[in-house]
Structures are given as C-alpha cells and as structure tokens.
Amino acid sequence: METKNLDFTSGLVKLFVTITAIIFGLVAEAQEILIGFNLDKSISKTAIAFLDNTDESFEADQNGIIRISGIADGEHIVTLFIEGYQTRTELVNTGQNALYSFDMTPLGATLNAVEIEDTKNRGPGMVICDTSRLMAYMPRRK
C-alpha cells in the first residue's frame, strides 16, 4: 500500500511539474510592447495601434501609452494612427526593446502669415501677407 501512495504522489508531482511548465511556457511566449509619443498627453491618449497589418487594435491609455500585450516574441509591424497626424508604420521587436517612443507628423499646419520674397527685385523686397487674404496677393491668369 505504501508503494501505491508513493506512485500516486510521484504522479501528482509529475502532473504539477508538467502543468507548471506549460503555464510558464505560455507566459514566456506572451510579450509586451509599450509605445509612447513625443506629443502632448491630451493628443497621444487618442492614439490607436494596429498590429501586423490586421484589424487587431490597441488604444492608448489615459497617459498616452499604448500597451500591446500577449503577443509572440519577435518582430511585429505596428501601424500608428492619431487623428490629425500622418499614419506611421514601424517594425518593432519584442526581443530587443519593449519601449518605443515615436514622433508623429501633423497632416498640415495653419499659417497665420506668409513671407514672400521678390527674387527678381521688382518690388519693395519682402512682404508679409495675411493668409486670410492670400488669394488677393496671388497672381492671376487673364
């Protein structure tokens, strides 16, 4: 009877070791990438990242950080989107660097004034134009 208990106990230990190895193996496969932006937090907290050219998306938290977790170790393509900024696609690697910080380029800028220089010296030199009336300054074809 003592042999049966010993066999049962060693079987339980083997089962426990196997389950633990499986769990730790799955945890070791799951990696995480953190993405931040060199922008004001009020803008970066609206960011969305798409993983590996799929519709799988991850949104930024209240601090403007995107946390992509539960992914396999290795290289991944991340497409970043913030309204009002150009979409950016980057290759990231969970094995090298888990924290990335990106600059985003605005789609356009609003100009309040434009400086125009007369390179043919036909006028007074440089002119500052109010952009709300820019069309009045532009030459027109007849």
Side-chain angles (χ1 to χ4, degrees):
M1 181 158 154
E2 193 172 310
T3 307
K4 285 185 178 183
N5 284 338
L6 185 58
D7 288 340
F8 179 73
T9 304
S10 74
L12 281 178
V13 169
K14 286 179 183 177
L15 178 64
F16 177 73
V17 168
T18 303
I19 291 172
T20 304
I22 290 170
I23 290 172
F24 281 118
L26 291 175
V27 170
E29 287 294 317
Q31 298 295 321
E32 182 175 73
I33 297 171
L34 298 175
I35 299 173
F37 301 93
N38 298 323
L39 295 170
D40 184 78
K41 185 168 56 171
S42 64
I43 296 170
S44 60
K45 70 182 183 180
T46 64
I48 300 172
F50 295 92
L51 185 64
D52 293 325
N53 293 322
T54 67
D55 62 354
E56 184 178 7
S57 64
F58 300 84
E59 295 183 7
D61 62 17
Q62 291 299 315
N63 295 316
I65 303 294
I66 296 176
R67 180 181 308 272
I68 300 174
S69 58
I71 57 175
D73 193 16
E75 291 184 342
H76 295 276
I77 298 170
V78 176
T79 302
L80 305 169
F81 174 78
I82 299 176
E83 188 173 340
Y85 290 82
Q86 291 180 8
T87 301
R88 182 172 183 157
T89 301
E90 293 290 334
L91 185 65
V92 295
N93 191 331
T94 57
Q96 292 177 353
N97 187 4
L99 178 60
Y100 293 87
S101 182
F102 295 113
D103 291 320
M104 298 295 281
T105 305
L107 286 175
T110 303
L111 302 175
N112 296 324
V114 177
E115 187 175 292
I116 301 172
E117 184 177 349
D118 184 2
T119 57
K120 296 185 180 179
N121 295 322
R122 287 186 272 170
M126 289 189 253
V127 179
I128 304 293
C129 300
D130 178 3
T131 56
S132 64
R133 299 195 58 234
L134 187 58
M135 290 309 294
Y137 297 104
M138 299 299 286
R140 297 198 178 124
R141 293 185 182 199
K142 293 182 181 183

